[in-house]
């Protein structure tokens, strides 16, 4: 057994590092976090100094046991988890678990960190270990406690006031507010008309266009011409004054330098990968993780290709810069290399977390050389990282911009501009993507013909073009990450998870790769902004992040920070739980009056989503309800559109038995109904236009499905059925799997009873299409209590059941012992 045990987070990393350290080291993975707060109220004890009640995560218990077993045989322990707060906390949790099990006595405990997985970096880290940083650990504990306190206290308020199943996050909520506010800006936007005027010039050497710069002695502004009549008058006057030519009044040539962008941070990598590669933030991080942990590169074996990918630093090590400069000279010539290296200032205030920027572990691993060993996504992302890092150390680009002023007469002026690249410098390798191109770069790549002052340039025509202002665009993943970073919301490691949480909770959807809030998301954002304003405030969230950073630097204590947050937050939660009206919280909106009944029409958010309502609960007749259609929003729907919804249910005709066939929309979407049988519409079917013939086809398909569903029916509620995932047994209350060695058609009643008795009781999943209990009826629609039928059969077979029960009990005894052992382990791992 190796005398040293080194623990990392991922098995891929463990495999790579094991090859570097040799037989004296045994490398194991923790598989991420090993402990977390117990998933129930009171996990953070606010009355006892915010004591955290931890337990070992179930899925990682076997990995913790493997680490403990290896630690018992090792002489020294090396904790080599990631170098950020999360990594530091994982190392501390592992140490606490081993300490509770008495496995640290007489053993040296070391913390080692590295930002790249290369033999040199790993060996150097092991040779220079440090102690665990409790400042970083406490910063992570404070963040976890804050997130827990917000989630466990704010989410129940959302359940009661807005909709069941909702949740609020400390960092996700301001991000959601950002997306919702942008949507409201778009909806409130009113387009303005404006006209541009351009001259089409026919120079003998090259045709080009020039835009109007001055009109009748005044600088031409965007909204100087706002209608067709004025635009046409100006166009006609300019064309008439010019008399077929424009005089060159002035020529200005200006040289400028463009400097390369700094190497990637987590944020800029996510933005650029979204712009250039179309990767989501979570996809980018997953691919980068694989490149960091190691890829098999031919004879070299497994090699970590990039440095640590969670960083907000932009500086590079002296060794990395020296190697990059050598590669630049070899690949692009000495002219592409600046006299001195470029140094970039690190924006992070956290000296302890100011790692290097994301770069290749060695610039000698050129993209073309490693491409055969990478999949397509890895290749694209690695090439992006390599080119950005190399470009940041290259010579600036030199651009030459020529502006020519052309006089048509009547004290007006046109201007034509062109920009040519004198020396590409870093642009030969890489150009940073931008969401919006700067004005000075609009004419880049456009070359004008040689002209002289006083020269007459032939004019073909003057054109006036109509335009309308556009609303601000919705956030893309790139622009959202950029905005979060600018506001100081979240940190490099959290951007991907913030976005994923918003998508998973269906608070937002991606529409043409841009974030659009759902009605539920808008209701949550509006409720939080209106009643918990401070806690979704951008400045407040950013200030809290700064304070957590201060804890990580040892400048602030974490417990007073939590106390300062907790007391006013809890008081506000208690107050809003009592005082906020639910109808206001769900964003109810009055649309107008129903012309038929004279009753008010409104839309609001309900348990199963947004719906329209005619009438109120105080009316003598019950209100009418109708769900909104896919793509409709309660914030933009009109009265006319809402009234259309009440055309459902509609009767299409009658079946062969004379019963009506109707179409409607229920909790699970649009359906057709014949008697007591329902059939869901297909995606291509529209409940408002579907015809009888199509409905009959859907009903026939459903009838065939029901007929084929029953494999065997014992007539007492117990059936063998065909299900979505294969045959199974059901008594209407419980479902049981059929063993692989059993033929479903040959099962006896007694065997079915036995299998149902052994099956676990699963909680019901709420109501049916109209909220009635699911599983209450069998496949035929019988409403007999199947449990009673099962009991009757069981009584008939009493002796057999007794022996089965005995056998089952005997088998389960060891499992009980194991569960008790597991409970002891969890207790030992708990920190008061």
């Amino acid at each position: 057994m190796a005398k040293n045990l080194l623990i990392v987070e991922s098995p891929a990393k463990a495999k790579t590092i094991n090859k570097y350290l040799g037989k004296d080291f045994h490398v194991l993975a923790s598989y991420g976090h090993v402990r977390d707060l117990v998933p129930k109220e009171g996990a953070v004890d606010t009355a006892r100094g915010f004591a955290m009640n931890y337990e070992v995560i179930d899925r990682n218990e076997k990995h913790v046991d493997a680490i403990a077993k290896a630690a018992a045989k090792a002489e020294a322990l090396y904790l080599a988890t990631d170098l950020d707060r999360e990594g530091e906390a994982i190392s501390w949790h592992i140490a606490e678990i081993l300490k509770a099990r008495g496995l640290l006595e007489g053993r040296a405990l070391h913390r080692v960190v590295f930002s790249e997985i290369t033999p040199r970096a790993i060996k150097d880290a092991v040779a220079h270990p440090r102690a665990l940083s409790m400042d970083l650990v406490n910063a992570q504990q404070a963040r976890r406690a804050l997130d827990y306190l917000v989630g466990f206290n704010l989410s129940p308020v959302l359940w009661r006031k807005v909709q069941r199943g909702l949740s609020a996050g400390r960092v996700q909520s301001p991000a959601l507010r950002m997306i919702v506010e942008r949507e409201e800006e778009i909806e409130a936007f009113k387009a303005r008309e404006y006209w541009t005027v351009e001259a089409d010039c026919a120079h003998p050497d090259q045709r080009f266009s020039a835009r109007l710069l001055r009109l009748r002695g005044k600088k031409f502004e965007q909204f100087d011409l706002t209608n067709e009549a004025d635009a046409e008058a100006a166009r006609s006057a300019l064309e008439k004054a010019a008399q077929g030519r424009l005089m060159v009044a002035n020529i200005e040539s200006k040289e400028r330098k463009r400097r390369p962008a700094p190497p990637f941070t987590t944020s800029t990598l996510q933005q650029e990968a979204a712009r250039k590669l179309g990767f989501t933030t979570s996809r980018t991080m997953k691919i980068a993780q694989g490149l960091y942990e190691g890829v098999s590169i031919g004879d070299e074996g497994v090699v970590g290709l990039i440095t640590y990918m969670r960083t907000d630093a932009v500086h590079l090590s002296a060794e990395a810069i020296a190697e990059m400069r050598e590669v630049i000279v070899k690949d692009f010539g000495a002219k592409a290399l600046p006299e001195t290296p470029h140094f970039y200032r690190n924006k992070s205030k956290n000296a302890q977390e100011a790692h290097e920027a994301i770069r290749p572990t060695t610039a000698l691993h050129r993209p073309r050389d490693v491409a055969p060993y990478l999949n397509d996504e890895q290749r694209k992302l690695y090439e992006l990282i390599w080119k950005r890092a190399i470009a940041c150390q290259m010579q600036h680009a030199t651009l030459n911009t020529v502006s020519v002023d052309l006089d048509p007469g009547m004290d007006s002026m046109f201007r034509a501009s062109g920009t040519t690249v004198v020396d590409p410098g870093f642009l030969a390798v890489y150009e940073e993507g931008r969401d919006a191109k700067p004005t000075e770069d609009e004419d880049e790549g456009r070359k004008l013909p040689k002209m002289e002052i006083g020269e007459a340039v032939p004019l073909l025509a003057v054109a006036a073009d109509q335009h309308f202002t556009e609303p601000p665009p919705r956030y893309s993943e790139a622009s959202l990450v950029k905005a979060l970073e600018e506001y100081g919301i979240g940190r490099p490691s959290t951007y991907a998870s913030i976005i994923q949480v918003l998508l998973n909770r269906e608070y937002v959807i991606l529409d043409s790769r841009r974030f659009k809030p759902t009605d539920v998301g808008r209701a949550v954002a509006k409720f939080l902004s209106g009643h918990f304003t401070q806690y979704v405030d951008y400045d407040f969230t950013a200030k809290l992040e700064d304070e957590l950073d201060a804890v990580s630097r040892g400048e602030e204590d974490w417990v007073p920070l939590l106390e300062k947050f907790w007391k006013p937050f809890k008081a506000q939660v208690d107050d809003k739980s009592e005082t906020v009206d639910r109808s206001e919280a769900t964003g109810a909106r009055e649309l107008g009056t129903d012309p038929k009944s004279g009753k008010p029409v409104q839309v609001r958010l309900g348990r199963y989503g947004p719906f329209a309502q005619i009438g109120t609960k105080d009316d003598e007749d019950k209100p009418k309800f109708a769900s909104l259609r896919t793509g409709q929003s309660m914030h933009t729907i009109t009265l006319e559109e809402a009234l259309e919804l009440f055309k459902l249910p509609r009767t299409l005709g009658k079946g062969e038995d004379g019963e009506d066939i109707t179409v409607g929309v229920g909790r699970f979407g649009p359906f057709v109904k014949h008697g007591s049988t329902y059939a869901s519409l297909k995606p291509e079917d529209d409940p408002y236009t579907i015809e009888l013939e199509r409905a009959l086809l859907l009903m026939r398909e459903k009838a065939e499905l029901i007929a084929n569903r029953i494999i065997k029916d014992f007539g007492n509620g117990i059936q063998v059925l065909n299900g979505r995932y294969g045959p199974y047994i059901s008594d209407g209350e419980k479902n049981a799997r059929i063993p692989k060695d059993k033929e479903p058609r040959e099962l006896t009643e007694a065997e079915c009873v036995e299998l149902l008795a052994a099956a676990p009781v699963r909680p019901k999943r709420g109501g049916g299409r109209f909220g009635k209990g699911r599983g209450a009826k069998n496949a035929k629609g019988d409403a007999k209590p199947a449990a009673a039928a099962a009991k009757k059969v069981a009584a008939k077979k009493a002796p057999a059941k007794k022996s089965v029960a005995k056998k089952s009990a005997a088998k389960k005894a060891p499992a009980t012992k194991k569960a008790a052992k597991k409970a002891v382990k969890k207790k030992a791992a708990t920190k008061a």
Side-chain angles (χ1 to χ4, degrees):
M1 185 71 186
K3 64 180 181 179
N4 299 308
L5 173 65
L6 185 137
I7 301 159
V8 293
E9 288 183 39
S10 79
K13 197 189 297 185
K15 188 177 176 182
T16 306
I17 293 173
N18 213 37
K19 293 180 179 179
Y20 297 161
L21 292 177
K23 62 181 181 179
D24 287 341
F25 279 84
H26 179 40
V27 185
L28 285 177
S30 72
Y31 288 77
H33 278 279
V34 293
R35 290 199 310 182
D36 198 7
L37 294 170
V38 295
K40 59 184 179 183
E41 201 167 346
V44 177
D45 194 339
T46 55
R48 291 198 307 122
F50 298 91
M52 315 274 274
N53 187 9
Y54 292 112
E55 68 176 10
V56 175
I57 299 168
D58 283 346
R59 69 174 183 276
N60 279 2
E61 191 163 351
K62 61 184 178 183
H63 305 306
V64 171
D65 289 343
I67 289 169
K69 188 176 178 181
K73 299 174 184 176
E75 294 176 17
L77 304 173
Y78 290 81
L79 302 172
T81 50
D82 289 348
L83 62 164
D84 55 10
R85 297 178 205 174
E86 294 289 316
E88 202 73 21
I90 292 169
S91 281
W92 176 74
H93 281 300
I94 292 168
E96 289 292 297
I97 292 169
L98 296 179
K99 183 180 176 183
R101 297 186 186 186
L103 295 172
L104 292 188
E105 293 173 18
R107 291 182 178 84
L109 182 71
H110 307 292
R111 172 76 171 117
V112 296
V113 292
F114 41 82
S115 62
E116 59 184 79
I117 301 177
T118 57
R120 179 192 59 77
I122 300 301
K123 289 172 183 175
D124 185 60
V126 170
H128 301 93
R130 62 165 170 80
L132 275 165
S133 167
M134 287 311 298
D135 291 333
L136 289 177
V137 170
N138 288 337
Q140 193 276 337
Q141 285 203 100
R143 177 186 288 278
R144 185 70 188 90
L146 283 167
D147 291 344
Y148 168 88
L149 291 171
V150 169
F152 253 83
N153 288 277
L154 203 48
S155 297
V157 181
L158 288 174
W159 278 48
R160 289 194 296 273
K161 303 297 182 182
V162 182
Q163 189 185 77
R164 286 187 65 79
L166 300 179
S167 58
R170 181 182 62 84
V171 183
Q172 292 90 354
S173 296
L176 175 61
R177 176 191 165 193
M178 204 176 282
I179 293 168
V180 169
E181 286 182 345
R182 176 59 58 87
E183 192 69 18
E184 288 172 347
E185 276 183 70
I186 293 168
E187 288 173 0
F189 180 81
K190 295 195 185 313
R192 290 184 65 185
E193 181 182 2
Y194 69 97
W195 291 70
T196 56
V197 180
E198 283 195 351
D200 186 4
C201 303
H203 191 279
D205 294 338
Q206 178 194 330
R207 188 169 167 175
F208 65 92
S209 62
R211 60 182 178 271
L212 187 62
L213 181 70
R214 191 173 75 237
L215 180 63
R216 296 188 179 95
K218 178 178 171 286
K219 183 183 177 183
F220 184 66
E221 304 283 0
Q222 183 180 12
F223 297 109
D224 282 353
L225 299 175
T226 57
N227 59 72
E228 187 175 4
D230 290 348
E232 176 55 30
R235 185 206 68 75
S236 179
L238 287 164
E239 203 169 63
K240 186 178 180 182
Q243 295 184 346
R245 58 60 184 146
L246 299 176
M247 301 299 294
V248 178
N250 188 44
I251 299 174
E252 192 175 293
S253 180
K254 187 169 63 177
E255 198 169 86
R256 61 187 174 94
K257 296 174 181 176
R258 189 195 291 180
R259 305 198 176 277
F264 281 130
T265 62
T266 303
S267 164
T268 53
L269 175 63
Q270 289 173 350
Q271 291 175 53
E272 198 75 333
R275 287 190 203 103
K276 290 190 170 179
L277 307 178
F279 291 172
T280 63
T281 50
S282 55
R283 190 76 194 138
T284 298
M285 295 310 289
K286 187 173 181 180
I287 299 164
Q289 181 92 29
L291 294 172
Y292 165 67
E293 290 177 349
V295 178
S296 182
I297 305 293
D299 296 337
E300 290 185 57
V302 178
V303 177
L305 287 179
I306 64 169
T307 54
Y308 192 55
M309 62 285 155
R310 291 187 181 89
T311 177
D312 51 8
V314 290
H315 78 263
L316 298 169
S317 68
E319 296 86 352
I321 290 174
E323 188 181 57
M324 286 176 191
R325 287 173 67 83
E326 287 177 19
V327 168
I328 290 166
V329 172
K330 285 179 187 174
D331 291 11
F332 306 102
K335 189 183 176 185
L337 188 73
E339 287 185 21
T340 58
H342 295 312
F343 294 101
Y344 299 91
R345 176 178 281 187
N346 179 29
K347 294 178 183 178
S348 174
K349 298 175 186 176
N350 278 11
Q352 293 182 73
E353 293 188 279
H355 321 311
E356 274 193 85
I358 303 168
R359 61 166 175 84
T361 52
T362 169
L364 296 171
H365 279 142
R366 295 169 176 85
R368 64 175 181 270
D369 298 329
V370 299
Y373 308 103
L374 305 178
N375 64 38
D376 192 49
E377 289 184 328
Q378 288 175 324
R379 177 188 59 75
K380 287 177 180 177
L381 193 66
Y382 180 72
E383 186 174 23
L384 201 67
I385 293 167
W386 188 90
K387 285 183 173 181
R388 174 90 164 216
I390 292 293
C392 85
Q393 290 303 316
M394 290 179 71
Q395 187 67 271
H396 58 254
T398 304
L399 308 173
N400 186 53
T401 300
V402 176
S403 295
V404 179
D405 290 347
L406 300 150
D407 188 356
M410 60 179 278
D411 200 12
S412 298
M413 195 71 69
F414 286 96
R415 174 171 288 177
S417 297
T419 299
T420 53
V421 178
V422 177
D423 181 357
F426 74 91
L427 289 176
V429 176
Y430 181 87
E431 182 174 8
E432 184 182 21
R434 282 163 285 185
D435 292 313
K437 209 168 188 179
T439 307
E440 66 265 23
D441 293 336
E442 283 180 4
D443 298 313
E444 195 169 302
R446 181 190 189 200
K447 192 174 181 180
L448 294 177
K450 187 173 178 59
M451 290 177 273
E452 294 181 1
I453 294 174
E455 180 181 347
V457 178
L459 173 67
L460 286 179
V462 176
D465 294 309
Q466 182 187 42
H467 306 273
F468 291 92
T469 54
E470 293 183 354
R474 290 186 179 124
Y475 286 108
S476 63
E477 290 216 20
S479 59
L480 182 62
V481 167
K482 186 177 181 181
L484 290 171
E485 186 179 39
E486 286 172 352
Y487 277 108
I489 296 170
R491 284 298 179 261
S493 60
T494 64
Y495 299 137
S497 64
I498 287 170
I499 289 169
Q500 206 54 51
V501 166
L502 293 178
L503 288 167
N504 290 344
R505 289 178 182 166
E506 296 183 352
Y507 289 169
V508 301
I509 59 169
L510 275 171
D511 182 7
S512 301
R513 291 193 171 181
R514 300 217 168 235
F515 293 108
K516 181 181 180 181
T518 62
D519 282 348
V520 172
R522 290 179 71 150
V524 169
K526 184 179 178 183
F527 177 75
L528 295 177
S529 297
H531 301 287
F532 292 88
T533 312
Q534 180 181 359
Y535 302 102
V536 290
D537 179 74
Y538 304 138
D539 290 338
F540 176 84
T541 307
K543 187 171 181 290
L544 200 53
E545 291 289 355
D546 288 341
E547 289 180 299
L548 288 169
D549 288 348
V551 172
S552 75
R553 297 191 298 271
E555 298 168 6
E556 192 171 330
D557 189 11
W558 68 295
V559 174
L561 169 61
L562 291 177
E563 284 174 345
K564 186 170 67 173
F565 173 88
W566 170 246
K567 288 176 182 176
F569 174 71
K570 184 66 169 71
Q572 196 158 349
V573 167
D574 292 342
D575 174 59
K576 297 299 180 181
S577 296
E578 300 298 324
T579 59
V580 178
D581 177 65
R582 192 175 187 281
S583 64
E584 182 254 329
T586 55
R589 178 172 160 247
E590 294 285 343
L591 299 181
T593 305
D594 173 27
K596 288 183 181 178
S597 64
K599 293 179 179 179
V601 180
Q602 63 174 217
V603 283
R604 64 172 67 214
L605 191 65
R607 183 177 177 184
Y608 303 118
F611 66 91
Q613 175 180 326
I614 296 177
T616 68
K617 62 181 180 180
D618 300 323
D619 295 342
E620 190 176 333
D621 299 326
K622 286 184 178 178
K624 291 181 181 178
F625 303 99
S627 297
L628 267 60
R629 302 179 70 180
T630 303
Q632 287 183 326
S633 167
M634 56 185 281
H635 298 277
T636 56
I637 192 171
T638 63
L639 175 63
E640 292 70 25
E641 289 168 338
L643 291 173
E644 281 290 309
L645 301 172
F646 291 93
K647 290 183 177 178
L648 296 182
R650 47 188 277 259
T651 301
L652 302 178
K654 294 187 181 294
E656 291 179 2
D657 58 0
E659 285 203 57
D660 286 341
I661 294 178
T662 60
V663 61
V665 176
R667 179 186 170 192
F668 302 109
F671 63 89
V672 288
K673 178 176 179 274
H674 180 206
S676 60
T677 305
Y678 295 87
S680 294
L681 267 60
K682 299 289 194 311
E684 62 270 22
D685 296 319
D686 185 337
Y688 292 87
T689 59
I690 190 171
E691 295 181 354
L692 179 61
E693 188 179 348
R694 174 63 178 164
L696 288 169
L697 176 63
L698 293 172
M699 295 308 300
R700 283 196 294 272
E701 288 177 358
K702 182 63 181 282
E704 285 174 21
L705 190 68
I706 292 171
N708 295 330
R709 187 177 172 227
I710 303 170
I711 298 172
K712 204 165 186 180
D713 190 339
F714 294 101
N716 58 0
I718 296 177
Q719 297 174 310
V720 183
L721 304 169
N722 260 321
R724 185 178 176 186
Y725 303 108
Y728 69 100
I729 303 163
S730 177
D731 64 1
E733 294 293 325
K734 284 175 74 178
N735 296 337
R737 290 180 181 174
I738 298 172
K740 288 182 180 177
D741 60 344
K742 296 282 186 183
E743 171 57 45
R745 293 187 183 279
E746 295 175 5
L747 286 169
T748 66
E749 187 178 350
E751 286 174 320
C752 290
V753 169
E754 186 178 324
L755 289 166
L756 283 166
V761 178
R762 301 189 190 279
K764 290 182 182 177
R765 289 195 206 166
R769 186 183 294 274
F770 295 106
K772 295 177 183 176
R774 295 178 75 187
K777 296 187 181 183
N778 60 21
K780 282 185 176 178
D782 297 331
K784 294 176 184 176
K791 190 175 178 184
K792 184 179 176 184
V793 175
K796 219 184 330 184
K797 308 280 182 184
K801 186 176 180 185
K802 191 175 178 184
S803 69
V804 168
K806 245 184 181 178
K807 189 176 178 183
S808 177
K811 272 185 183 174
K812 290 201 176 191
T816 308
K817 189 175 178 185
K818 186 179 176 184
K821 186 179 176 186
K822 184 174 173 182
V824 170
K825 281 181 189 173
K826 284 188 179 180
K827 194 173 180 183
T830 301
K831 179 181 180 292

